[in-house]
Amino acid sequence: MKIGFIGLGAMGRPMSKNLLRAGHEVHVYDIVPAAVEELVGCGAIAEPNNKAVAAAAGVVITMLPNSPHVKAAVTGPDGILAGKHEGTILLEMSSIAPLATKEIGKLCEEAGVPMLEAPVSGGVGGAAEGKLAIMCGGSEELFQQLKPILDVLGSSLCLCGGLGAGNTTKLVNQHIIAVEIAAVAEAFAMGKKAGVEPEVVYNAIRGGYANSRVLDGKLTAAMDREFKAGFRLDLHIKDMANAVETGCAVGAPMPLGSLVLDMMKYLSANGLGSEDNAALMKYYEKLAGLEFGRAQ
């Protein structure tokens, strides 16, 4: 199948490579030439802009940072809709605001281009392994049509409802992760200040209800002082801002989300935005005057 892929960042590169390994002809575009060159070296075909990607492919995948980037890629002068042809389908896999998803979907519908949203969770590791959790929004028919492509990219697929439902589900996911990281940091800071090392507490409670992937992944990252980005803090800030904005738009209370978003913004303003979102634990380290290291 001829697939277009727009957005070759930390997630888009491994996802594109998986499509190439699955035998698809992949046409790529990104504003960063080095990212395009890397994919060309793996067998992809470079295109000069979004319009050319759409003209060359049947299914066009977008994996971009936020709502404005997706809108520009789809509706701009050299955008996907400008290069559409009979049979063009948009598979929008960015994590963006649900209201923006609906707006872009309406513009695509008016242009005769079916759209399925499919934001993902699982980080760079999940993208590389083809084991992403993919949360879709759109029609059942289009979901089934695109399932062979989604199966290459993820190990967990769910059609959550119509357009907007996929990104709403993703925002729920991101909200829970952010608040849980903060909760783990707060609790473990209390434990360490009271004289019990984080590693001891971790080993004691991980067999019970308090265990989670956040505890296993983010706490251990803090104990090992390993903050190299698997999912950058600045990207999580984008998702949390979309979550709080969506909550305000629909009248849902977001006191915890708003508070944690402010913590994350503080860390980003102090130079930690490019670190993994586990860096959120550093907020409590600073408040408590401690470090979540392992016992010596």
Side-chain angles (χ1 to χ4, degrees):
M1 183 183 296
K2 294 182 179 180
I3 299 174
F5 206 108
I6 297 169
L8 303 173
M11 298 290 287
R13 286 196 305 277
M15 292 167 70
S16 299
K17 290 175 184 178
N18 284 337
L19 292 170
L20 286 167
R21 280 191 284 268
H24 296 289
E25 179 180 304
V26 183
H27 296 254
V28 298
Y29 174 69
D30 193 279
I31 60 172
V32 180
V36 175
E37 291 170 10
E38 180 180 338
L39 264 296
V40 169
C42 296
I45 300 167
E47 300 293 350
N49 52 41
N50 301 311
K51 178 180 177 181
V53 171
V59 176
V60 181
I61 298 173
T62 46
M63 191 65 174
L64 297 164
N66 208 352
S67 307
H69 307 95
V70 178
K71 290 179 185 177
V74 174
T75 66
D78 290 319
I80 294 166
L81 295 184
K84 72 179 179 69
H85 52 84
E86 186 176 352
T88 299
I89 295 172
L90 175 60
L91 178 53
E92 210 300 283
M93 302 192 73
S94 316
S95 294
I96 64 175
L99 294 178
T101 298
K102 292 179 181 180
E103 179 187 345
I104 294 166
K106 183 178 180 181
L107 293 171
C108 287
E109 182 181 10
E110 291 170 352
V113 175
M115 171 179 157
L116 185 79
E117 64 168 334
V120 305
S121 181
V124 175
E129 296 173 6
K131 294 182 178 179
L132 293 167
I134 306 178
M135 295 150 272
C136 301
S139 73
E140 173 72 29
E141 180 182 0
L142 192 56
F143 174 72
Q144 293 298 333
Q145 183 179 345
L146 296 176
K147 194 171 181 296
I149 294 174
L150 297 171
D151 281 334
V152 172
L153 303 174
S155 57
S156 172
L157 311 179
C158 181
L159 181 62
C160 304
L163 281 179
N167 269 296
T168 298
T169 303
K170 175 62 184 292
L171 293 183
V172 170
N173 180 81
Q174 298 302 86
H175 181 281
I176 290 171
I177 292 171
V179 171
E180 188 174 352
I181 294 172
V184 166
E186 184 169 302
F188 274 78
M190 178 270 290
K192 182 159 186 174
K193 292 288 279 189
V196 185
E197 288 297 323
E199 189 170 6
V200 173
V201 178
Y202 170 66
N203 289 329
I205 71 174
R206 63 185 304 207
Y209 267 42
N211 192 34
S212 68
R213 293 184 69 178
V214 166
L215 197 68
D216 286 341
K218 305 307 178 180
L219 175 65
T220 55
M223 289 194 296
D224 292 332
R225 313 313 295 164
E226 179 53 68
F227 295 102
K228 182 180 179 181
F231 183 68
R232 284 191 292 118
L233 182 68
D234 277 344
L235 286 177
H236 208 152
I237 289 172
K238 177 263 297 184
D239 288 341
M240 286 300 289
N242 282 335
V244 171
E245 178 186 342
T246 300
C248 291
V250 300
M254 305 287 285
L256 291 177
S258 299
L259 179 60
V260 173
L261 175 58
D262 283 344
M263 295 177 189
M264 298 166 90
K265 287 180 176 178
Y266 169 84
L267 293 169
S268 180
N270 282 273
L272 302 184
S274 62
E275 293 192 359
D276 188 80
N277 59 357
L280 178 54
M281 302 195 75
K282 291 184 177 181
Y283 184 86
Y284 280 91
E285 289 184 334
K286 185 174 181 64
L287 285 181
L290 53 78
E291 190 173 276
F292 294 120
R294 292 191 184 271
Q296 299 299 318

